Amino acid sequence: MSLSIRNQIPGTVTAVFPGEVMATVKVRLDGGQEITAAITREAVAELGLTAGTPVRALAKSTEVALATGPVEGLSIRNHIPGTVTEVTSGGAMSGVKIAVEGGILTSSITTDAVTDLGLVVGSYVVALIKSTEVSLATV
C-alpha cells in the first residue's frame, strides 16, 4: 500500500501499555530514538503489537511542529532532534526536511514560522509530535 504520509520511520515496538480504550506503544526507531504512539486497543490487537514487533511510525507532515532547541514542560511526548536539510517556501506554507538519526522527517509549517525561527539549511531543530498523531503500521 502506498500512502501520502511523508513521515514513515522504521522501528521496533519495545512496550505496550493498554488502557480501557487506548494504548500507548513505545517504539525504538532504527536511529535509536524512542517515540510514543497512542492508538486504540483494537488496533494493537489487530496489528498483533507486542515487544519486538517491527513497525513503521507514521506522522503527517502537518502534525510535526518544530522548535529551535530542547523544550521542557510540554505534554508532547515525542521530541526528535535533527538538522534542517531543505526549506521549500511557497506562499503561506513551507516544507522543511529534517535529517534525524535513521531517516528524514518532513514538517509543513507556515512560512511566517520559518522566518520567525530563522530556519535555514543546517539549522538545529527538535521535531515535536503528539503521541496521538503517531500511527503505526506493521511491516
Side-chain angles (χ1 to χ4, degrees):
M1 167 182 1
S2 296
L3 297 173
S4 64
I5 296 175
R6 297 297 86 202
N7 300 309
Q8 302 182 27
I9 301 177
T12 304
V13 173
T14 59
V16 178
F17 302 97
E20 290 300 314
V21 176
M22 301 289 288
T24 55
V25 180
K26 301 286 186 182
V27 175
R28 176 145 332 271
L29 301 178
D30 285 359
Q33 311 92 324
E34 184 171 88
I35 66 164
T36 302
I39 62 175
T40 65
R41 284 185 63 177
E42 183 179 349
V44 168
E46 286 177 4
L47 294 171
L49 299 179
T50 60
T53 304
V55 293
R56 283 197 174 274
L58 311 170
K60 291 176 61 174
S61 61
T62 53
E63 300 303 332
V64 178
L66 299 177
T68 56
V71 183
E72 295 186 28
L74 287 179
S75 63
I76 296 173
R77 298 293 83 199
N78 302 307
H79 299 216
I80 306 170
T83 304
V84 173
T85 60
E86 182 180 327
V87 177
T88 305
S89 295
M93 296 299 290
S94 292
V96 181
K97 292 197 184 283
I98 304 110
V100 300
E101 290 292 326
I104 297 285
L105 283 176
T106 300
S107 175
S108 294
I109 59 176
T110 65
T111 299
D112 286 346
V114 168
T115 301
D116 291 348
L117 295 173
L119 299 181
V120 295
V121 172
S123 295
Y124 171 82
V125 294
V126 177
L128 305 167
I129 310 168
K130 291 177 65 173
S131 59
T132 53
E133 301 305 328
V134 176
S135 297
L136 299 176
T138 50
V139 231

